[in-house]
Amino acid sequence: MKAEKVQDSGNPTGHGKPEDWPKYIGDQGWENYTSEEHGVWKTLFERQKEIVKGRACKEYLDGIAALEMDQTQIPNFEEASKILKAKTGWEVVAVKGLIPDLPFFQLLAERKFPAGNFIRKPDQMDYIEEPDVFHDFFGHVPLLANPIFADYMEAYGKGGLKAHEHGTITNLARLYWYTVEFGLIQQDDGMRIYGAGILSSPGETKFAVESNSPNRIGFDLKRVMQTNYRVDDYQQSYFVIDSFDQLFSETYADFSKLYEEIKQDKTEYAPEDIAGSDNVFTKGTQEYAKSKDK
Ligand code: HBI
Ligand code: FE
């Protein structure tokens, strides 16, 4: 893929009212999946379940086990929600694809995770632009079984509704991107992955923890909110937390003060930048990105 211009969240920004979210969710239609569609899930699951071993954080692997996922069929959201609700109060609701930011935030604030109910085609096994059921369910749902991450996701949703009032949704989308989608965590046994965008991608799962191409930088809330990201290829920087407690405590604080600070301080970082104040785990060579820009 050619490296596209760096852009912010390309998702449609909702102008609806938060209570609009019911119109975006519907029935998963589990009984309508074809055997070919279940077959795509089975292939993706069997491949990725091996690759995440030793690379995903333990909380994610515990979530995979807790959900008792049937490896051969696309999960049934209603069944999974029964397990999730009992553990952390979360449920999985079906959407047809990306929804506007406002209803998305409202759903998270109510502990409802919107998961795509469609699955990629056999010729899209490695990458798909829109979040399909494999990205959403295999990537995002297991960590919702972890109490601290479950609290973080609710706090993120509430923060999003506040960001809408401050006009700082772009900054909040970056926080989502560099944590929920592409976050790393330094654990006792090494650098591990918790970001769903990485965990649902065979190539990026290896790249994110093993390649010397990307930067790996200690998580800092303001720094992340000022950092652009790319949506078309592997990330050029990953941000590293030291625990989910850290992520939750940094994020649960009232954002209003930070939003005002960001409006004053217009600093913006490119995906490949390293700032003087960064706590650098890896200064990447960026050879992967350079090889793609040729
Ligand atoms: N909609 N279905 C869906 N899934 C997402 O992950 C999603 C979305 N809409 C907006 C969005 N993500 C991002 O802009 C968040 O950063 C808000
Ligand atoms: Fe996602």
Side-chain angles (χ1 to χ4, degrees), residues 9 11 95 97-101 104-105 114 131 136 156 172-173 176 181:
S9 135
N11 296 311
V95 290
L98 288 176
I99 64 176
D101 288 339
F104 179 73
F105 291 136
D136 277 328
Y156 178 84
L172 211 87
Y176 191 83
E181 294 294 0

Side-chain angles (χ1 to χ4, degrees), residues 1 4-5 18 62 74 80 136 176 216 220 233 239 281 291:
M1 273 165 288
E4 248 169 38
K5 181 181 90 49
D62 292 348
I74 294 171
D136 277 328
Y176 191 83
R216 293 179 188 88
D220 172 276
D233 211 334
F239 288 89
F281 286 79
S291 71

Side-chain angles (χ1 to χ4, degrees), residues 58-184:
K58 55 183 174 307
E59 294 81 353
Y60 171 85
L61 298 171
D62 292 348
I64 286 272
L67 286 164
E68 300 159 14
M69 248 186 266
D70 170 351
Q71 310 192 8
T72 61
Q73 291 195 318
I74 294 171
N76 181 304
F77 294 177
E78 258 177 57
E79 283 168 22
S81 295
K82 283 191 195 106
I83 297 174
L84 262 184
K85 251 194 173 315
K87 283 182 108 47
T88 57
W90 275 85
E91 59 187 295
V92 183
V93 293
V95 290
K96 294 201 174 355
L98 288 176
I99 64 176
D101 288 339
L102 260 188
F104 179 73
F105 291 136
Q106 186 66 29
L107 282 162
L108 297 187
E110 298 192 19
R111 296 206 174 212
K112 291 178 177 65
F113 186 78
N117 68 343
F118 67 99
I119 193 157
R120 64 195 71 183
K121 297 284 175 268
D123 65 355
Q124 297 173 301
M125 292 310 251
D126 275 329
Y127 185 75
I128 180 168
E129 189 74 28
E130 284 266 318
D132 71 339
V133 66
F134 187 74
H135 167 85
D136 277 328
F137 200 98
F138 184 87
H140 283 285
V141 171
L143 266 177
L144 294 176
N146 174 274
I148 302 170
F149 194 80
D151 287 350
Y152 170 69
M153 286 292 275
E154 178 189 342
Y156 178 84
K158 288 176 177 165
L161 294 174
K162 192 169 287 182
H164 185 69
E165 291 156 28
H166 289 260
T168 51
I169 281 203
T170 300
N171 306 98
L172 211 87
R174 291 168 176 173
L175 173 62
Y176 191 83
W177 193 267
Y178 280 118
T179 56
V180 180
E181 294 294 0
F182 291 94
L184 299 181

Side-chain angles (χ1 to χ4, degrees), residues 28-43 72-75 117-122 133:
Q28 180 185 5
W30 190 85
E31 58 291 340
N32 305 327
Y33 290 131
T34 64
S35 54
E36 186 198 56
E37 288 172 316
H38 285 304
V40 169
W41 169 274
K42 181 171 181 292
T43 307
T72 61
Q73 291 195 318
I74 294 171
N117 68 343
F118 67 99
I119 193 157
R120 64 195 71 183
K121 297 284 175 268
V133 66

